[in-house]
Amino acid sequence: MTDPLRPHGNNRTPLPPTQQSADGVPSPRSPQSEKTKAQGDARAASSGAKQRDAFFDNAKYLAIVLVAIGHAWEPIKGDSRILEAVYTVVYTFHMPAFIIISGFFSRSFDASPNRLKRLITGVAVPYVIFETAYPLFKRWIDEDPGQDISLLDPWYLTWFLCALFIWRMTTPIWKMVRWPLPIALGLAMAATVTPEIGDDLDLQRVLQFLPYFVLGLIMKAEHFHMVRTRTMRIVAVPVGAVALAFGWWAVPRMNTAWFYHRDAAQELHAPWWTGPVMVLAMFGCSLLLTACFFAWVPRRHMWFTALGAGTLYGYLLHGFVVKAGDYQGWFDHAWLQRPLGEIFVTVVAAVGVTLLCTPPVQRIFRFAMEPRMEWAFKRDAAQVAREREKREGAGAREKVNA
């Protein structure tokens, strides 16, 4: 296999233009229509614009596979110290990596009408749909008619959509302030000593994961190139080994809930001062392991590269499968908690989320993930004026030709 980080020698693959992911969602491309996409491709070809960088699609796909595997491990890890150690290491970087990429592709957000529409249709509407669908699913599959439906208390996976919407809406502020990352870290540290925040909109996670999004906002293309080197790829091996060893050591000594970023220190029965300390410590560890992850992400086009455009589908849909297995007792078989069973669950989770990212699944569920909803918005006055001028110009040319 060729070197995935240098498939063309020392010539770096150009990074994609910011505007191609204007809605900030690190998964679907959110096309307006096939015609619009074709017109955009034609304009890009005619102007010599840079094309999509396979690295980011590869990174999104691999990150979402790790997310699904981690969720599948939860019911079977039990007392397995080794699996718990791998689980905590994966949880240290898989969502930070996903969120950093989200921030990087959110740099062009300017609260313009078109981008606000895409934020609503690509994030807010799917949040409402899936925040309703998951409790209804639990009522049915788990025979729990008392399961509440609440848009204020994100359930299971939907916290990310809620967080992404808030982060995106505050993007102009982070682009305006002088020290965005220190401020974001300060807010995350303050959140860990404020249990009064509660569960509304999962604000603990919103604030504790905020530094990763802000970091993505302020990152530049060369920062990703810095970790995509042969040296970094070599260094990532011993770093990963040390992380696994430390994770194995920390299993009986550390509360895994720290990695979920959803509770204040007091809620984890820890001294208040450990909250800010853990924010800084885990931020450093997460960045280190995320850099190692990015170092090993292939930069050339792979068989799974196209699936990077459908990672939000895989993210939101795989939860139904995992929860169904949990409610129906699929994970209760003793053999699944042995090494071969754990490997089997890992493979099934990876294959399952891969299938959920494929184009056929995207076509089926696009109504929920990327609804058009043109009927819900007023037409932009400037766009209407441009179309009128275009029609008038075309009419004038026809008269002249006649």
Side-chain angles (χ1 to χ4, degrees):
M1 183 176 178
T2 59
D3 186 346
L5 293 178
R6 295 179 181 273
H8 305 295
N10 292 322
N11 295 327
R12 292 175 174 172
T13 303
L15 292 169
T18 303
Q19 63 268 24
Q20 72 175 331
S21 186
D23 60 357
V25 181
S27 307
R29 290 186 176 91
S30 300
Q32 297 289 330
S33 64
E34 292 300 323
K35 181 179 179 181
T36 303
K37 180 177 182 297
Q39 291 173 345
D41 292 342
R43 287 195 299 268
S46 62
S47 62
K50 297 179 180 179
Q51 301 299 309
R52 274 182 89 95
D53 187 346
F55 167 81
F56 288 102
D57 282 330
N58 293 339
K60 289 184 291 185
Y61 166 76
L62 294 174
I64 210 64
V65 167
L66 291 176
V67 169
I69 290 174
H71 288 153
W73 281 345
E74 287 180 11
I76 66 170
K77 53 190 178 71
D79 297 327
S80 174
R81 188 169 179 177
I82 294 177
L83 187 58
E84 183 76 25
V86 178
Y87 175 86
T88 55
V89 170
V90 169
Y91 263 72
T92 304
F93 72 89
H94 67 1
M95 282 310 295
F98 207 69
I99 294 169
I100 287 172
I101 294 176
S102 299
F104 181 74
F105 284 104
S106 298
R107 296 170 301 161
S108 64
F109 184 80
D110 56 5
S112 63
N114 285 337
R115 289 195 171 108
L116 286 175
K117 290 177 185 177
R118 295 181 67 181
L119 182 62
I120 292 172
T121 58
V123 179
V125 172
Y127 171 75
V128 173
I129 292 174
F130 283 89
E131 182 61 18
T132 304
Y134 268 111
L136 290 177
F137 179 75
K138 188 177 189 300
R139 288 184 182 184
W140 170 65
I141 199 74
D142 197 31
E143 298 181 357
D144 181 13
Q147 177 63 44
D148 293 332
I149 299 175
S150 172
L151 298 181
L152 295 179
D153 187 9
W155 198 78
Y156 196 35
L157 302 173
T158 56
W159 72 267
F160 177 73
L161 292 178
C162 181
L164 184 59
F165 185 86
I166 296 173
W167 293 335
R168 289 284 294 162
M169 290 299 294
T170 61
T171 293
I173 298 176
W174 300 114
K175 292 164 63 176
M176 178 182 63
V177 298
R178 182 169 295 179
W179 302 289
L181 187 57
I183 293 175
L185 283 170
L187 289 174
M189 294 165 68
T192 60
V193 298
T194 314
E196 294 81 7
I197 289 178
D199 296 328
D200 290 349
L201 300 180
D202 229 344
L203 286 179
Q204 278 288 355
R205 271 178 166 160
V206 173
L207 293 174
Q208 292 191 37
F209 276 114
L210 175 62
Y212 302 100
F213 182 82
V214 173
L215 177 63
L217 281 177
I218 63 178
M219 287 182 70
K220 299 180 180 179
E222 52 265 30
H223 295 138
F224 288 96
H225 288 305
M226 289 171 61
V227 299
R228 292 157 60 181
T229 63
R230 180 179 179 84
T231 300
M232 186 62 194
R233 202 174 66 221
I234 294 173
V235 171
V237 176
V239 170
V242 171
L244 290 171
F246 181 81
W248 184 87
W249 174 87
V251 164
R253 299 173 174 85
M254 184 176 176
N255 190 342
T256 306
W258 283 109
F259 295 90
Y260 303 145
H261 298 279
R262 67 186 179 196
D263 299 299
Q266 296 91 326
E267 294 173 297
L268 298 178
H269 308 290
W272 70 268
W273 56 266
T274 59
V277 172
M278 288 298 293
V279 165
L280 295 177
M282 295 193 68
F283 185 72
C285 293
S286 296
L287 290 189
L288 179 61
L289 292 180
T290 298
C292 294
F293 169 71
F294 284 153
W296 276 96
V297 170
R299 63 181 294 180
R300 64 189 178 90
H301 193 91
M302 307 289 288
W303 64 266
F304 53 78
T305 300
L307 301 180
T311 48
L312 189 62
Y313 290 83
Y315 176 79
L316 290 173
L317 294 175
H318 87 273
F320 291 104
V321 181
V322 173
K323 284 299 182 183
D326 194 14
Y327 298 146
Q328 296 296 305
W330 300 347
F331 299 104
D332 295 340
H333 300 284
W335 70 275
L336 291 178
Q337 300 184 17
R338 302 189 185 111
L340 287 179
E342 294 166 355
I343 294 174
F344 173 77
V345 170
T346 302
V347 173
V348 170
V351 172
V353 76
T354 298
L355 294 176
L356 293 176
C357 293
T358 56
V361 174
Q362 293 181 45
R363 287 193 292 270
I364 294 172
F365 290 97
R366 182 160 289 150
F367 75 95
M369 305 287 194
E370 304 173 82
R372 297 281 299 273
M373 294 186 62
E374 296 296 335
W375 53 268
F377 303 105
K378 296 179 180 179
R379 297 194 65 187
D380 182 53
Q383 182 179 357
V384 172
R386 286 193 296 269
E387 292 179 355
R388 185 185 303 114
E389 292 177 359
K390 185 177 180 180
R391 287 194 301 269
E392 292 175 352
R397 285 193 298 271
E398 289 179 359
K399 291 181 180 179
V400 171
N401 293 334

